[in-house]
Each structure stands twice: as structure tokens, then as C-alpha cells.
Amino acid sequence: MTETKQDKKPIILSGIQTSGKLTIGNLIGAMQNWVKLQETHDCYYMLADLHSITVKQVPAELRKQTLDVTDMLLASGIDPERSVLFAQSHVPEHSMLTWVLTCNAGMGELARMTQFKDKSKQHADNINAGLFTYPVLMAADILLYQADLVPVGADQKQHLELTRDIAQRFNSTYSPTFVVPEPYIAPIGAKIMSLQEPTKKMSKSDENDKATLFLHNSDSEIRNKIKRAVTDSGSEVKMSDDKPGVSNLMTLYHIATGKTYAEIEAEFEGKGYGEFKPAVADAVAEYLRPLREKFTLLRKDEKMLKAVLAAGADQARRQAFKTVRKVYKKVGFIQL
Ligand code: ATP
Ligand code: LTN
């Protein structure tokens, strides 16, 4: 990202956890928008490894997953010449700002976060304080870079609202310091549903492997998971709130083929799920194959992946340091 002041574009920051393998939900809800927004914005894309340890991780696996996610982002079209791609743990300013923001966030507002409630149920044996303060770290991620826009899936909307509240509160308590960011939630694909429980978000940490399409899954795994996906009663292929299973498959088919929902409904009129599901299975398998192949190729060059992260951390730190210096001064710390 080498630009002069006069061609300054709006700023984007977004993050993705390195707590597992990426899913087609991550691809459609987040990564594809990240790639598009590179055209029009100055983008910071972050591997949220500090967030990942809010649930238990095996250290060697976390290291590997971080490189896997870096690779998948590059394979999907994130261009490190245009965007800053970095790991959160490489930029200490994230932790530095988090503490200040934690002292400006209320217990009550954090306790209302649905992700905290869900994850506390999911990880009842490890309800650590980091799981509770998770959204404050996310606010720090965003506010450090003075981001105008934050592309996320629909599940992160509540965290974005909290970030805006924290930013506005800080700005009025001290003086204007942070840009108050807007969420960017694409109208289609903002919530890809589980293949087994289509009223629930598809999640990389779902215990049921059949519920989730992973980007590294082979053609046959993809086909089998889609063919066995839970569909609704009846047989009509139609977009409808009372048909969450079929609607979810229609979204996947739309993304994979570019066909509109009306075209899909017409294509399968009178044909039923028996023909629809295999067609979705084939289209999605075709769609994901090139990404997987590119991923496999790039994964051989671990040195390159680490070099991308090192360069990204350098660039990210320059901006992050400026914000932290400003914040430390405003809250009353003596500058050395
Ligand atoms: P977990 O499911 O384990 O909590 P996650 O995949 O939701 O993990 P992240 O990896 O941090 O969590 O998500 C990265 C981005 O992908 C976020 O913007 C999130 O909103 C988006 N995302 C995740 N799952 C989906 C989904 N099923 N549909 C659309 N977007 C999604
Ligand atoms: N909390 C997000 C991941 C995340 C993020 C961010 C997204 C961490 N920091 C900053 C946008 C901006 C998640 O769980 N999906």
C-alpha cells in the first residue's frame, strides 16, 4: 500500500480467527467482500490469533492454522501489494489499546453480547475472562486503524454496534479521537447456515463435521455433505423463510453459478429436491476446486507466507502506534 496523501481512500479493517479451518461461510460472508473492497479502499486484514485463544488451542496447531488461514486469504485474492495482511499478535498495540478501552466499557453491555452467551454454553468448561472481554479487543482492532468500514458476516453486527458505542463514548469523554466505523454486511450470504441444522449459522467449530463445508474439503466430501444436507418438508425449490434448508442451498447455488433466485426456481420447477441437491453439490464442488488447488500450491512456500506476515506487521504497526500514542496522551499518561 504505497500511496500519497491526495489519493487517500476510505479505510477498512476486518479480521478472521485462526481457531480452525475456514468454511464456505467465511468465504461468502467475509473473504469475498474483502477481495472486492481492495479496489476502492485502503484495507487492513487481520488474522485474529489473540481472539483465537479465548477457546482452548493446541499451540502447534494454532501456529499451523495461522499459516493455513494466511494462505487461504492469499489464494482467495487478497493481494499483499495492495492490502496490509497481518497477525494481531505481531502488533502489540492491539493489547495496549484494549486495556484502555476495557476501562471504558461496561460489564452490562458486554454481558448482553450473544456471541459470549453462545460460546459460554459451547465451552462451559472454559468460560474465561477473555471470552467476556473479546468484543473490547475487537473494538481495539478496528479503532486502532481509524477504520471507516468493517466488512463482516451478520453474526458480528452486535459487536460492531458496541465498537461504535465505545468509540463515541471515548470521543465525548476526552475529545474526538476515533473514527466511528460503519458495518458492511452484504445483502446475500451474510449468514450461511449449517447443513445439518439450517436455523443455525454454519460454524468452523461445529462438532458435527457434516454440518460445515470447509474450504479444504475434497470434491467428494463436498458432494456428500450437500447431498445429505437437511432440507425442509415438501419438495418445492423456493426461497422462503419457512424453508431454511432449501433457501440456504439456493444461496450456495446462486454464489457458485451466478444464477438469480428466480432462475433457480424456474430451473427446478416440478423437479424436487432429488434433482436440486446433486446440482448444488456439483456446482459448489466445481466452484471451490480452484481455490483449494491454489491453496495447496502456495502452502508449499511457508517462507513466503511468513514474509507476507512480517511485512504486514511492519505496516500495521506504523498506523497502530500513532493511535495508541494519541490515546495514551488523552487519558493522561506521561509521555517519555
Ligand atoms: P466460529 O464459528 O468458530 O465462531 P467464525 O467462523 O464465526 O468462527 P471468524 O473466523 O472470526 O469466526 O469469522 C470471520 C468472518 O466470517 C466474520 O466476518 C464472520 O461474520 C464471517 N462468518 C463466519 N461464519 C459465517 C457464516 N456462516 N455465514 C456468513 N459469514 C460468516
Ligand atoms: N470477532 C470476529 C473476528 C474479528 C473481527 C475483528 C472482525 C476479530 N477482530 C475486527 C472484524 C473486525 C468473529 O468472530 N467473526
Side-chain angles (χ1 to χ4, degrees):
M1 220 163 63
T2 43
E3 253 155 30
T4 54
K5 263 212 165 108
Q6 61 266 29
D7 50 28
K8 213 170 166 349
K9 299 174 188 157
I11 296 171
I12 292 238
L13 176 123
S14 197
I16 198 156
Q17 295 190 72
T18 54
S19 47
K21 305 278 188 202
L22 297 184
T23 73
I24 197 164
N26 298 132
L27 178 71
I28 298 171
M31 293 153 66
Q32 287 184 337
N33 298 321
W34 294 13
V35 172
K36 271 188 235 139
L37 289 163
Q38 293 182 117
E39 309 286 332
T40 46
H41 291 71
D42 277 344
C43 302
Y44 292 89
Y45 292 132
M46 182 192 78
L47 303 146
D49 51 359
L50 298 180
H51 277 111
S52 300
I53 62 162
T54 54
V55 305
K56 277 193 192 111
Q57 301 294 339
V58 176
E61 276 173 26
L62 183 62
R63 267 189 290 274
K64 180 179 173 299
Q65 280 160 201
T66 304
L67 293 175
D68 286 347
V69 176
T70 306
D71 177 358
M72 202 54 98
L73 289 172
L74 295 176
S76 72
I78 300 299
D79 175 1
E81 296 292 319
R82 278 197 292 177
S83 300
V84 181
L85 179 60
F86 70 101
Q88 197 180 24
S89 64
H90 291 160
V91 182
E93 284 79 2
H94 288 254
S95 306
M96 294 164 80
L97 182 59
T98 296
W99 178 250
V100 177
L101 298 184
T102 305
C103 299
N104 285 276
M107 294 288 283
E109 59 189 353
L110 291 177
R112 280 199 299 275
M113 296 294 114
T114 53
Q115 182 173 301
F116 170 68
K117 292 186 211 165
D118 292 348
K119 295 244 163 166
S120 317
K121 270 189 225 143
Q122 209 185 334
H123 304 279
D125 58 333
N126 180 24
I127 308 179
N128 61 77
L131 209 51
F132 187 69
T133 57
Y134 178 112
V136 187
L137 174 58
M138 179 161 161
D141 300 336
I142 297 165
L143 301 180
L144 267 179
Y145 300 92
Q146 306 290 0
D148 299 286
L149 204 63
V150 184
V152 281
D155 62 307
Q156 294 302 309
K157 192 164 176 257
Q158 198 186 28
H159 287 163
L160 249 296
E161 279 157 11
L162 178 72
T163 302
R164 289 171 55 85
D165 290 345
I166 292 176
Q168 276 157 348
R169 190 177 311 139
F170 191 97
N171 287 349
S172 68
T173 306
Y174 299 94
S175 61
T177 307
F178 297 122
V179 169
V180 180
E182 296 284 341
Y184 174 95
I185 299 171
I188 291 183
K191 197 167 184 186
I192 301 295
M193 306 311 250
S194 152
L195 297 179
Q196 291 298 314
E197 284 176 76
T199 50
K200 214 176 84 177
K201 173 182 98 110
M202 182 184 284
S203 166
K204 63 163 91 90
S205 51
D206 200 310
E207 278 161 16
N208 183 355
D209 180 72
K210 293 194 192 75
T212 306
L213 279 182
F214 290 102
L215 300 179
H216 67 274
N217 280 155
S218 66
D219 279 0
S220 64
E221 284 168 325
I222 296 167
R223 287 201 172 90
N224 284 334
K225 285 183 185 184
I226 294 179
K227 284 186 194 156
R228 295 199 178 107
V230 168
T231 34
D232 317 284
S233 58
S235 61
E236 212 183 345
V237 176
K238 188 169 155 255
M239 212 56 195
S240 153
D241 285 348
D242 62 357
K243 284 179 163 280
V246 169
S247 301
N248 193 39
L249 293 183
M250 282 182 71
T251 298
L252 295 180
Y253 194 59
H254 158 72
I255 301 278
T257 61
K259 292 177 187 170
T260 64
Y261 290 134
E263 284 168 343
I264 299 170
E265 286 176 5
E267 184 179 349
F268 294 99
E269 197 174 347
K271 291 191 178 151
Y273 303 157
E275 286 190 44
F276 175 57
K277 282 162 90 174
V280 179
D282 285 342
V284 174
E286 287 289 320
Y287 182 70
L288 291 181
R289 193 180 310 128
L291 178 64
R292 189 174 63 243
E293 286 171 357
K294 186 123 192 248
F295 168 87
T296 308
L297 192 74
L298 296 179
R299 195 65 182 83
K300 296 190 177 117
D301 194 351
E302 212 163 281
K303 228 167 126 189
M304 177 278 293
L305 297 175
K306 287 183 178 163
V308 165
L309 292 183
D314 270 354
Q315 279 186 279
R317 282 202 75 175
R318 250 176 273 148
Q319 171 55 40
F321 174 71
K322 279 190 211 158
T323 304
V324 164
R325 193 175 47 188
K326 196 151 91 172
V327 168
Y328 271 26
K329 194 167 164 200
K330 295 215 182 183
V331 298
F333 298 153
I334 291 173
Q335 285 196 299
L336 287 181

